[in-house]
Amino acid sequence: MSNEGNKKQFWKRNAKVPGSLIKAGNRLPPATPGKPKKATTFQEFESITSDAWDVGDDDDELLAMAAKNLNIEVVMETANKVIENHSKQQERQRQDEATELEQTEEDTQEEVAEGEDGDGDEKEDEEEEEEEELGRLGEGDVTSPEVSFASQSSPYADGRLVKSKSEAPIGSPKDAAGEHAGLHRQRSLPHRPPVIPLVARMADQNTSGTPAMTEREASRLDKFKQLLAGPNTELDELRKLSWSGIPRQVRPITWKLLSGYLPANAERRESVLQRKRQEYFGFIQQYYDSRNDENHQDTYRQIHIDIPRTNPLIPLFQQASVQEIFERILFIWAIRHPASGYVQGINDLVTPFFVVYVFEYIEEEVENFDVSSLQEEALRNIEADSFWCMSKLLDGIQDNYTFAQPGIQKKVKALEELVSRIDESVHRHMQQYEVEYLQFAFRWMNNLLMRELPLRCTIRLWDTYQAEPEGFSHFHLYVCAAFLVRWRKEILEEGDFQGLMILLQNLPTMHWGNEEVSVLLAEAYRLKFAFADAPNHYKR
C-alpha cells in the first residue's frame, strides 16, 4: 500500500510527467513572449539516446530492469548513466574529428607550399599579365568596380586577384576550407548504404559480402548460445536478452521458444516439432480439398486475391510455390477459427515467420532466394512452423479480426487519447484538419505496422514484441504512439487534410534500420513506463 501511495503522490506532484492530469480551472500560465515553453519531443529523446543500445552491456542492465516494478530513483539513475555515456562518446568523437581535421590542414598546406615553389616562374608571368590588364581597365586612382570587389574580398598572399569563387585555384586555402566543411557535413549525417536489403537485417549478418560481426555482436551471440544450450532454457532470461534484438543465427529457435511453440525442455523439442508438423499436414489432408466448396469458396477466393499483394516488391513472395504455402496456411487457419475467419491483413502476419524460418536453412540473402532449391522436407517444416507460430500470435489478438473488429476499434481510440496526452500539438493539428485516427491507424493495428516499415524492421520489431509481455496486444499501442509522434515536424508542416493523409499513409521509412527501430522501441518503453501506474491517463 505504501508503494502505491508513493506512486500516486509522485504523479500528482510532478506536473511535467506525461499523462498527469490538469484539472479544469487550473490553467498553465501563459508563456513569456520570446521564451516559448520547450516541449520534450521524440527527436530530442532520440538525440540523447542514439547510443543507448550501443554502449557495452548497459542495455542488458536496462532491459533486465524492464520486468521489475521500477521507481523514479532507478529510472533517473539509468537515464543519467545513458546521458553520461552519450556525452563521453560525443566528446571523443569531437576530439577525433578535430585531430583529423588538423592533420588534413597540415597536409594541404604542405601541398600548397610545394606547388608555390614549383610554379614561381609561372606566377611571375601571371602577375605581369594581370598588371597590364589593370592598366588597360583604368588609370591612376580609377578602378573597375569588378576588380575592386575582387581585390577586397579575396586577395591571396602571392598578390593574385580572384574575381569569383569559380576561378579560385585548386588547392587554395578557400578550396581546402570548403572540402573540410563538406567532409564535416558528411560525418555529421547518418551513414546510409547505397542499397539496403528489404528483408535482411543490417547489423547481425556475418555472411559473404557483409562485414564481420563486431565484438559486441559476437558477445551477444555467445550469450544466446549459452542460454539455449542448457537442458532447460530460462525463458525469462531469454526474454530479457531478446528485448534489444536477436542475432539472425539463433532467431528461429528463439522465436519458437518465446511464442510458446516449443517447450523450454531441450529433450522434448524434437518430439514436439514432429508431432505439430504432422498435425498441421493432417489438417491439410482433412480440410484443404474443401476450399472450393460453396461455404468456403468466398474465403479461399479472398485469400487467393490477397496473396499476390503480400510484399509485392520482394521477389521471394512472388514465387508460385511460396504463394501456395501461404494459401494453405491462411485457409487452414480460417477454417479452424470460424469466429473470425480470414480477414484482410492476416496474410501479412505470415511473412516474418516465413522469412525467419527460411534463414534456418540458408545463409545467403533471402530476397531473391529460390525456395525450390530447398529440399521438400525443409519446405514442409518451414510451412508448418510458420502456421503454428502465426496461430500463437493471433490467439492473443483475435478480437482484432472478429466481427466489426472491436479490438482494433478499442486500440485506435486508446491511441488517440494517448497522443492527446503526450503531444497535444499533434493531436490538435489532426483535429483542426478533421483527420480521424481511424483513417490511418486502423492499418497500423490491423497489420501491426507491417505496411509502414520495411520487412527487416518488422522482424527486428517482433524480436521485442516476442520478448515483451503482451507485446502484440498491449505494447504495440505505445509503439504506434511513439511512431506517430516521431513524425511531428512533418505532420505540423502539412496544412490540409489531403496532405496529412498522404503523409501518414506513405511515411518515409524505406531506409530505416536497426538503429531507428531501437530508438522507436526505447521511446515506446518510456511511454509505457510513464503511464504504467496512471490508470486514468486515457481520461480527460
Side-chain angles (χ1 to χ4, degrees):
M1 291 297 292
S2 60
N3 289 338
E4 294 179 359
N6 291 336
K7 289 174 184 175
K8 291 180 180 178
Q9 292 176 2
F10 168 73
W11 293 114
K12 288 181 179 178
R13 68 172 179 266
N14 194 335
K16 295 183 179 180
V17 174
S20 59
L21 301 178
I22 300 177
K23 296 181 180 179
N26 293 343
R27 301 295 180 187
L28 294 175
T32 304
K35 293 183 179 179
K37 183 178 179 182
K38 186 176 182 182
T40 301
T41 65
F42 183 86
Q43 287 81 0
E44 291 170 347
F45 180 80
E46 179 180 0
S47 68
I48 66 174
T49 60
S50 60
D51 61 343
W53 311 107
D54 297 322
V55 181
D57 289 328
D58 289 348
D59 57 341
D60 295 332
E61 180 181 352
L62 175 62
L63 299 175
M65 294 191 298
K68 300 180 182 179
N69 188 13
L70 304 181
N71 55 39
I72 189 61
E73 289 80 6
V74 175
V75 174
M76 293 305 299
E77 181 182 355
T78 304
N80 290 333
K81 187 181 298 184
V82 170
I83 295 172
E84 182 182 354
N85 288 333
H86 175 77
S87 301
K88 290 179 181 179
Q89 185 176 7
Q90 292 292 92
E91 182 62 28
R92 287 196 299 269
Q93 183 177 356
R94 284 194 294 269
Q95 291 176 357
D96 294 342
E97 290 181 356
T99 303
E100 188 172 348
L101 188 60
E102 291 176 1
Q103 183 63 37
T104 306
E105 289 177 350
E106 292 176 1
D107 296 341
T108 303
Q109 291 175 358
E110 292 177 0
E111 292 176 1
V112 171
E114 292 175 359
E116 289 177 352
D117 294 339
D119 299 335
D121 296 339
E122 294 180 5
K123 290 179 182 178
E124 291 178 359
D125 295 339
E126 290 176 0
E127 289 173 1
E128 291 177 359
E129 292 176 359
E130 289 174 357
E131 288 175 359
E132 293 177 0
E133 185 177 354
L134 288 174
R136 290 193 299 271
L137 288 170
E139 297 177 358
D141 295 333
V142 181
T143 309
S144 167
E146 181 180 1
V147 176
S148 175
F149 175 79
S151 63
Q152 292 175 7
S153 60
S154 55
Y156 280 91
D158 57 6
R160 287 179 293 165
L161 301 178
V162 180
K163 298 179 182 179
S164 67
K165 182 178 179 181
S166 62
E167 295 181 22
I170 298 175
S172 66
K174 180 176 286 189
D175 248 3
E179 291 176 2
H180 296 158
L183 182 62
H184 180 73
R185 283 194 299 271
Q186 285 182 350
R187 288 173 182 161
S188 66
L189 294 173
H191 172 69
R192 296 293 184 203
V195 177
I196 301 180
L198 295 174
V199 176
R201 294 182 64 202
M202 296 179 291
D204 63 356
Q205 299 178 16
N206 190 20
T207 57
S208 58
T210 59
M213 286 190 296
T214 64
E215 182 177 349
R216 179 177 178 275
E217 291 168 350
S219 175
R220 280 181 54 78
L221 179 58
D222 288 340
K223 289 181 181 179
F224 272 95
K225 289 182 176 179
Q226 291 174 10
L227 192 58
L228 295 169
N232 288 285
T233 302
E234 293 289 339
L235 294 182
D236 288 340
E237 292 298 322
L238 187 61
R239 289 189 182 97
K240 293 176 185 177
L241 196 58
S242 301
W243 205 99
S244 56
I246 304 172
R248 193 183 80 169
Q249 296 90 331
V250 294
R251 184 177 283 125
I253 180 67
T254 303
W255 275 26
K256 291 172 186 177
L257 287 166
L258 294 180
S259 67
Y261 175 43
L262 284 185
N265 184 276
E267 293 182 356
R268 294 179 52 224
R269 289 174 192 165
E270 188 60 33
S271 61
V272 169
L273 278 177
Q274 292 181 3
R275 177 171 56 83
K276 298 298 286 185
R277 289 166 178 171
Q278 291 175 0
E279 185 178 357
Y280 167 73
F281 285 102
F283 295 151
I284 296 291
Q285 294 177 355
Q286 183 176 357
Y287 298 118
Y288 195 61
D289 288 341
S290 67
R291 62 189 182 278
N292 294 318
D293 293 353
E294 184 176 357
N295 57 334
H296 294 151
Q297 62 183 2
D298 289 341
T299 297
Y300 179 74
R301 183 186 301 112
Q302 188 60 58
I303 292 173
H304 190 71
I305 292 172
D306 288 347
I307 292 299
R309 302 173 182 171
T310 305
N311 291 294
L313 298 179
I314 301 179
L316 172 71
F317 299 113
Q318 303 310 308
Q319 298 177 35
S321 55
V322 173
Q323 294 185 356
E324 290 172 2
I325 288 173
F326 279 34
E327 285 183 0
R328 288 193 292 268
I329 290 174
L330 294 171
F331 182 77
I332 296 302
W333 188 88
I335 293 299
R336 298 188 70 246
H337 295 81
S340 62
Y342 173 76
V343 177
Q344 285 181 299
I346 296 179
N347 55 305
D348 287 329
L349 305 184
V350 185
T351 56
F353 293 112
F354 184 81
V355 168
V356 168
Y357 298 146
V358 166
F359 275 134
E360 198 169 7
Y361 297 92
I362 68 172
E363 294 184 356
E364 61 266 34
E365 299 301 340
V366 74
E367 281 184 49
N368 300 294
F369 179 74
D370 183 6
V371 297
S372 63
S373 62
L374 290 174
Q375 295 182 359
E376 183 180 356
E377 182 182 1
L379 271 178
R380 289 169 61 88
N381 293 344
I382 292 169
E383 179 177 348
D385 295 347
S386 298
F387 168 81
W388 286 115
C389 288
M390 186 198 73
S391 298
K392 292 285 186 180
L393 185 161
L394 289 171
D395 286 347
I397 58 172
Q398 192 169 354
D399 60 341
N400 285 7
Y401 306 104
T402 54
F403 178 74
Q405 299 182 267
I408 291 180
Q409 303 274 357
K410 182 179 178 181
K411 290 183 178 71
V412 171
K413 182 62 177 176
L415 175 65
E416 181 177 359
E417 296 293 341
L418 183 57
V419 173
S420 71
R421 293 296 174 202
I422 64 179
D423 199 324
E424 190 174 5
S425 297
V426 169
H427 179 66
R428 287 185 175 179
H429 192 73
M430 305 274 238
Q431 287 182 325
Q432 179 183 353
Y433 295 105
E434 301 180 347
V435 174
E436 299 290 341
Y437 282 72
L438 201 62
Q439 293 170 324
F440 65 89
F442 180 90
R443 189 172 73 181
W444 295 10
M445 303 299 176
N446 190 59
N447 301 83
L448 298 177
L449 286 177
M450 287 194 61
R451 297 289 178 90
E452 325 310 319
L453 299 172
L455 186 52
R456 63 179 178 275
C457 294
T458 297
I459 292 173
R460 166 63 190 92
L461 191 68
W462 284 22
D463 286 347
T464 300
Y465 282 5
Q466 299 267 16
E468 182 73 20
E470 298 182 327
F472 293 98
S473 60
H474 182 65
F475 186 63
H476 179 68
L477 168 65
Y478 295 97
V479 172
C480 289
F483 186 66
L484 178 62
V485 177
R486 162 68 177 80
W487 306 102
R488 75 181 312 274
K489 179 177 179 292
E490 292 80 357
I491 290 171
L492 296 177
E493 287 175 352
E494 294 294 340
D496 56 53
F497 173 85
Q498 183 179 3
L500 280 168
M501 288 305 301
I502 291 174
L503 171 66
L504 292 170
Q505 293 179 355
N506 300 276
L507 292 167
T509 61
M510 180 55 69
H511 291 285
W512 271 34
N514 285 353
E515 182 179 353
E516 289 82 358
V517 175
S518 294
V519 173
L520 179 68
L521 289 166
E523 171 66 359
Y525 177 75
R526 185 185 72 84
L527 293 177
K528 179 190 173 187
F529 173 79
F531 294 115
D533 296 311
N536 294 323
H537 69 282
Y538 289 142
K539 299 179 181 179
R540 291 197 175 279

